[in-house]
Amino acid sequence: MPVISAPHAFNESQLYVDLEPIFGQSLYLKCEGFNFAGSIKLKAATEMVETAEREGVLKPESILVESSSGNLGVALSMIAASKGYRFLCVTDSRCNLSTRLLMEALGSQVHVIADLDANGGFLGARIDYVRALCDSDDRYVWLSQYTNPGNWKAHYRKTAPEIAQRFPKLDVLFVGAGTTGTLMGCARYFRQWHRPVRVIAVDSVGSVIFGGAPGRRMIPGLGMSMRPPLLDESYVDEVIRVEETETIRACHRLARRGFLFGGSTGTVVSGAMRWLAEHDTRDLTAVAIAPDLGERYLDTIYQTNWLQDLYGEDAFSSDAMADDPWAADPASTRSPARRPHLQTGDAGDQRHQHQNRKQ
């Protein structure tokens, strides 16, 4: 058993859940929520803070500031408390109440943006507020998870090698898309690996990460109202878009078997199960990444009144919850990324024709 003196020194990285008994499809779910920050964002937060310290950007008098829908804010709150920094998280009204309270309990200040930006989301308004703060006082240090290469490097150095160590014959990896730090880090790593791995991004319907019209998104975590600067689509083999109702059904299905996961995990699992149901998965090793656990979503996706107010009385009735939303559907929201020549059968031959891009 490890003995630690700093909360970010502990992170259980090799716990997987076999989802076949629950969903009938072979999928191993990498659980990233077993650390003191409660999510995969601990890796990116640690990488970005320690890099800023090494480069002299972060000083004892600095005030950390970041735009976050929740999980990164918690991770930075924890690290700031441990290291003695002040931290201000700029979030929006979709952030779970429990997440905001957790950041405040760790000593952070939380500013909530309530007005939508020109794209119909909150991200632009959050970033504008952060920039105004930085312009007003040079003590503010913005790590900028949206542009900071430490975001993807954390997963290139840690998350992807952890998966490779446990699954040396990995065929398919499902990764949720938000800032795309996890996606880009894992995709870059497996592009250079000894065998081809098909990397599939899972996004929320209404997100504009991979194009398309913006739409209402009420579950924080995945999706963005602008194209992420870190994204390089040449590393992504396919994109799956998931409706929020499918996200919630996946979460509830897992909870009925004793696994309480967050909304991002529900999105990734739902998209992965849809893809697996539509493909020949014999002898296929598939892994999906679960970014967090579900305790912070008790007042939203696990709360009946919240569900009914947003999605209607019948959307999550007992009959609807019993339906299998992962059966093959010709009207699926799944769509190929901009590499249409890359098919499941020829992934190995085609992948090696691409030059590795370095950043």
Side-chain angles (χ1 to χ4, degrees):
M1 179 178 295
V3 176
I4 63 172
S5 58
H8 53 281
F10 171 76
N11 189 8
E12 172 54 59
S13 61
Q14 288 292 7
L15 178 64
Y16 295 81
V17 177
D18 181 357
L19 295 184
E20 186 167 13
I22 302 175
F23 292 94
Q25 296 285 350
S26 180
L27 179 68
Y28 297 99
L29 188 63
K30 187 180 195 300
C31 301
E32 290 281 350
F34 292 99
N35 56 59
F36 284 99
S39 81
I40 196 171
K41 290 294 189 176
L42 176 61
K43 292 176 176 176
T46 302
E47 178 77 22
M48 292 189 295
V49 168
E50 292 183 348
T51 298
E53 289 176 329
R54 288 194 302 270
E55 295 177 351
V57 175
L58 202 51
K59 302 177 177 65
E61 68 275 13
S62 297
I63 305 172
L64 278 168
V65 60
E66 186 57 83
S67 162
S68 169
S69 62
N71 282 338
L72 183 71
V74 172
L76 287 173
S77 294
M78 186 191 77
I79 293 172
S82 174
K83 289 176 173 286
Y85 297 115
R86 293 169 60 189
F87 173 56
L88 168 61
C89 181
V90 180
T91 188
D92 60 63
S93 55
R94 293 177 305 172
C95 179
N96 298 322
L97 175 60
S98 58
T99 300
R100 301 204 302 267
L101 294 175
L102 180 53
M103 287 188 280
E104 290 172 350
L106 289 166
S108 298
Q109 182 181 353
V110 180
H111 180 83
V112 180
I113 299 292
D115 296 327
L116 297 173
D117 58 30
N119 294 323
F122 294 99
L123 181 56
R126 280 169 23 193
I127 291 176
D128 288 344
Y129 187 87
V130 171
R131 285 175 173 156
L133 279 177
C134 294
D135 290 341
S136 69
D137 190 332
D138 58 10
R139 291 178 300 167
Y140 284 106
V141 174
W142 180 25
L143 297 176
S144 184
Q145 63 167 322
Y146 311 106
T147 59
N148 194 321
N151 190 346
W152 68 262
K153 287 180 181 179
H155 304 288
Y156 181 91
R157 293 170 178 167
K158 295 181 179 179
T159 308
E162 291 162 1
I163 296 171
Q165 179 184 2
R166 178 61 181 81
F167 297 95
K169 295 184 179 181
L170 179 68
D171 296 300
V172 183
L173 178 64
F174 298 93
V175 187
T179 64
T180 67
T182 308
L183 176 64
M184 287 293 96
C186 291
R188 281 185 166 92
Y189 180 90
F190 284 112
R191 177 64 61 85
Q192 301 169 348
W193 208 34
H194 68 90
R195 59 180 279 126
V197 174
R198 193 168 184 82
V199 176
I200 300 179
V202 184
D203 195 12
S204 302
V205 169
S207 165
V208 301
I209 292 176
F210 298 97
R216 184 187 76 163
R217 292 180 295 110
M218 300 305 299
I219 301 174
L222 300 186
M224 284 183 68
S225 56
M226 59 179 280
R227 180 181 173 87
L230 295 178
L231 176 63
D232 183 342
E233 286 188 64
S234 70
Y235 287 95
V236 181
D237 296 314
E238 196 167 342
V239 177
I240 301 172
R241 294 178 173 87
V242 175
E243 295 279 1
E244 288 191 333
T245 51
E246 295 177 5
T247 291
I248 296 166
R249 288 187 182 118
C251 286
H252 281 250
R253 189 164 178 174
L254 286 161
R256 287 199 302 270
R257 298 296 292 270
F259 293 105
L260 195 70
F261 283 104
S264 298
T265 298
T267 301
V268 173
V269 169
S270 180
M273 289 302 167
R274 181 181 293 278
W275 189 93
L276 293 169
E278 296 174 349
H279 291 77
D280 182 1
T281 59
R282 288 173 297 179
D283 301 320
L284 190 75
T285 299
V287 171
I289 297 176
D292 61 3
L293 301 178
E295 291 91 339
R296 296 172 193 171
Y297 300 81
L298 293 178
D299 57 348
T300 54
I301 63 177
Y302 293 106
Q303 214 280 331
T304 301
N305 291 338
W306 188 87
L307 295 176
Q308 291 179 346
D309 288 346
L310 289 175
Y311 304 100
E313 291 283 340
D314 301 324
F316 302 99
S317 65
S318 58
D319 290 340
M321 286 295 192
D323 290 341
D324 182 6
W326 296 277
D329 180 358
S332 168
T333 55
R334 182 176 57 85
S335 62
R338 296 170 189 171
R339 296 172 67 194
H341 60 279
L342 190 66
Q343 302 298 322
T344 303
D346 62 5
D349 294 333
Q350 295 286 352
R351 187 179 300 280
H352 295 294
Q353 294 178 14
H354 292 271
Q355 295 293 326
N356 291 327
R357 298 188 182 185
K358 296 183 179 179
Q359 185 168 344

